[in-house]
Amino acid sequence: MQTLDLPTNRQLIDIDALFDLQSAHQYTVGNTTAKERIAKLDQLHKVVMDMRPQIREALYLDYRKPPAEVDLTEIYVVTGEIKHAKRHLRKWMRPHRVTTPLAFMGASSHIRYEPKGVCLVIAPWNYPFQLALAPVISAIAAGNTVVLKPSEHSPYCSAILKDIVGRVFKPEEVAVVEGGVETSTALLAKPFNHIFFTGSPTVGKIVMEAAAKNLASVTLELGGKSPTIIDETANIAGTIKRLTWGKFSNCGQICIAPDYVFVHESRHDELVEALRDQLLEFYGADVSESDSYMRIINGNHQKRIASYLENAVQKGAKIAVGGRLNADQDFIEPTVVTDVPLDSALMTEEIFGPILPIIKYRDLNEVIGFINRGEKPLALYIYSRDKRNTELILKNTRAGGTCINNSDIHFFNNNLPFGGSNNSGLGKSHGWYGFESFSNARSVMRQHIPGALELLMPPYNGTKLKLIDLTIKWF
Ligand code: NAD
C-alpha cells in the first residue's frame, strides 16, 4: 500500500498536502478486503492495550480523570467498538440482496456499502480518547481514509492519539492533525466526502455550513439538555447509584448526562436524601480528596458552570448537597440544587458539569409539555415502575435515546444506534450505524435476461398501452 518516498505520520502537517495524499490513496484503502481491515483493527487494538498506562496518564494530566474511569469509559468503548466491528465486518461488507419487483423480472438487485472516500473526524474534549477513535474505527471499517482532529482542550490526549495513530496507520490511511479553531476551520474548507463532528450545537451549525459548501455529508453528534423524570412509583433506593454515576462521573461533563431531574412531589425529599447518601458513598466527606472524582477541563468551563449556579441561587434556588468550588483547581463539588426557577441559567443552558437541578412536579403532562417546548434532547431518562407512565412519556416526547431505570448505558450497546435528533444531532454512530454513516449505499441492478420492461418500450401502440395499464393495475 505504501510507496517509498511518502512522508511519515509524524512529519505530515500540511493540510493541503495531507488531503491530496489521502484523496490519491482513497481507492487503495477503499479496495481493501475485510481481512485487511480486520488486521488494521487488530493492530489498533494491540497498540491501545499496550499503551493503556500512557493513555491513563494523559487523561489524568488533562483533567485528573481517574484511571478506572479511563479504562471503563474510554478504553473499553474503543476496544468494544473494535471487537464489534471485527465480528460483523464481513457481513456488513457483503452485498445486501434485496428483492426486485415483478415488473422488472429478469433482473436482480443488491446494495453495496462502498466507502464515502476521504473523511474528517472532529472530536471534543470531554471523552477525548473514545470520541476521537470510535468514529475512526467505523470509518476505517467502511474503507475510508481519515483525518482526525482532536480537541485542543485535552492536549495530552491529543498527543497520545497522534502517537497511537502514527504507530498503526500511514498518513495516507489515517492521520491526526492537532490544533484549535483555526486548524478546524482550515480542515473544514477542504472538500471532504464526509464529516463526522462531535461537539456543541453551536459549532455543529458552523460545521454543517462549511460542509454545505462542498455538499459533504455530515454526522453531527451534538449536545443539549437531557431530562430525567422520576415518577411516584420509582424505585429510588434501588436505582440511585445509576442516576448518581450517570450524572457525576466525568465530573458531569457528559453529553448524555442527566442534565436536570423532574421528580414527583411525593418523592422529592427522599430523592435528595438518596443523592446525598450516594455521593458520600462514592466520593467521601471531602470530595476534593477523592481519587474517584475528576476536575473540570479548564478555568473557562469552571467559571461558566459556577456562573449558572450563582444565577440560579440569586433567583431563589437552594443548594441541598455540595456547592463548594475552587477556581484555582478547576474543582466543583457534586452539587444538588432544589427549588430551581425554570428561567434560571441552570434550566436554560446545557450544564455540562456536576450540578443537578431537581424540580418537583405534580402532573406528568406538564413535565412533558415543558420538555417539548425545548430542543429535542440527546437522551431522556425515565425512572418508573409504571408501564403506563413510561409509555406516556415515550410516546409524547422525542429524544435521541432513552434508558428506563438507568442513565447513560444505551451509549455502551453497539447494537443500538447512538445519536440525537435535530438540535442534538444528525445521523447515528456505533456498530453497524457507524459503518453505515461512513458508507454510501450504492444500488446495483443486474439484468440477467431480457426484462418485462422491454415489452413496454416505444412505440406506444395499442397493445403496449394495454400492457402498461395492466402493469399499473397488477404489479
Ligand atoms: P465544541 O463544539 O466547542 O468543540 C468540538 C470540536 O470543534 C473541537 O475539536 C474544536 O476544536 C472544534 N471547534 C470549536 N469551535 C470551532 C469553530 N468555530 N469552527 C470549527 N471548529 C471548531 O465542543 P466541546 O466543548 O469540545 O464539547 C462539548 C459539547 O459537545 C457539548 O455540547 C456536548 O453535549 C457535546 N458532546 C456531544 C457528544 C455526542 O456524542 N453527541 C459527545 C460529547 C460531547
Side-chain angles (χ1 to χ4, degrees), residues 298-300 302-303 306 324-332:
N298 56 37
N300 285 345
Q302 212 271 355
K303 273 193 219 118
R324 281 187 305 149
L325 295 87
N326 183 340
D328 296 336
Q329 294 186 8
D330 299 331
F331 173 79
I332 298 181

Side-chain angles (χ1 to χ4, degrees), residues 103 456 464-475:
L456 312 179
K464 290 196 180 160
L465 289 176
K466 266 189 207 144
L467 280 173
I468 289 171
D469 195 43
L470 281 175
T471 305
I472 288 174
K473 282 185 179 147
W474 299 108
F475 294 108

Side-chain angles (χ1 to χ4, degrees), residues 67-261:
E69 241 168 68
V70 175
D71 280 352
L72 204 55
T73 65
E74 303 272 1
I75 294 175
Y76 173 63
V77 174
V78 167
T79 55
E81 190 76 52
I82 292 176
K83 285 184 201 155
H84 187 86
K86 277 177 56 190
R87 206 172 304 133
H88 298 282
L89 190 56
R90 285 192 170 80
K91 193 173 86 201
W92 294 346
M93 284 176 70
R94 239 177 258 147
H96 296 213
R97 300 224 156 270
V98 295
T99 52
T100 305
L102 219 52
F104 299 92
M105 218 162 47
S108 63
S109 313
H110 71 264
I111 305 163
R112 276 172 188 240
Y113 286 89
E114 64 183 17
K116 284 204 168 155
V118 186
C119 298
L120 173 64
V121 172
I122 301 179
W125 53 262
N126 66 318
Y127 285 91
F129 187 71
Q130 56 107 335
L131 289 174
L133 275 190
V136 170
I137 291 160
S138 297
I140 55 180
N144 297 278
T145 70
V146 190
V147 175
L148 165 65
K149 196 209 77 68
S151 173
E152 67 277 25
H153 299 302
S154 39
Y156 289 97
C157 183
S158 179
I160 202 109
L161 283 164
K162 193 171 174 75
D163 190 356
I164 289 172
V165 165
R167 285 168 196 244
V168 181
F169 300 98
K170 297 167 200 143
E172 63 269 33
E173 298 166 339
V174 183
V176 172
V177 174
E178 293 183 275
V181 176
E182 250 177 54
T183 308
S184 203
T185 308
L187 285 165
L188 286 168
K190 302 302 292 179
F192 282 95
N193 298 109
H194 187 75
I195 301 171
F196 188 108
F197 169 81
T198 307
S200 58
T202 308
V203 180
K205 288 173 192 166
I206 296 171
V207 170
M208 197 160 170
E209 215 175 308
K213 296 211 169 85
N214 298 309
L215 290 178
S217 54
V218 289
T219 306
L220 302 178
E221 295 286 359
L222 309 178
K225 293 181 82 64
S226 295
T228 293
I229 302 169
I230 301 181
D231 79 359
E232 62 277 29
T233 71
N235 174 6
I236 291 180
T239 57
I240 195 67
K241 207 175 213 168
R242 306 170 206 163
L243 172 66
T244 312
W245 192 75
K247 171 68 187 182
F248 295 101
S249 63
N250 220 47
C251 208
Q253 302 163 109
I254 316 173
C255 56
I256 47 171
D259 188 271
Y260 59 89
V261 172

Side-chain angles (χ1 to χ4, degrees), residues 1-29 117-118 145-147 169-175 190 192:
M1 205 185 267
Q2 193 177 23
T3 57
L4 275 178
D5 51 356
L6 287 174
T8 69
N9 231 327
R10 274 161 237 265
Q11 294 162 337
L12 200 77
I13 41 159
D14 183 312
I15 287 171
D16 292 339
L18 176 61
F19 185 83
D20 291 346
L21 179 68
Q22 291 204 352
S23 296
H25 215 73
Q26 58 173 303
Y27 282 91
T28 313
V29 174
V118 186
T145 70
V146 190
V147 175
F169 300 98
K170 297 167 200 143
E172 63 269 33
E173 298 166 339
V174 183
K190 302 302 292 179
F192 282 95

Side-chain angles (χ1 to χ4, degrees), residues 28-77:
T28 313
V29 174
N31 284 327
T32 47
T33 61
K35 196 174 164 197
E36 287 167 318
R37 293 182 199 176
I38 287 170
K40 278 286 173 192
L41 293 174
D42 274 335
Q43 270 183 51
L44 180 61
H45 187 266
K46 182 174 181 325
V47 172
V48 167
M49 290 307 282
D50 288 351
M51 292 184 68
R52 206 165 138 197
Q54 291 94 316
I55 299 165
R56 287 163 156 187
E57 194 191 350
L59 272 82
Y60 191 83
L61 290 169
D62 274 332
Y63 54 173
R64 270 191 62 169
K65 186 155 180 158
E69 241 168 68
V70 175
D71 280 352
L72 204 55
T73 65
E74 303 272 1
I75 294 175
Y76 173 63
V77 174

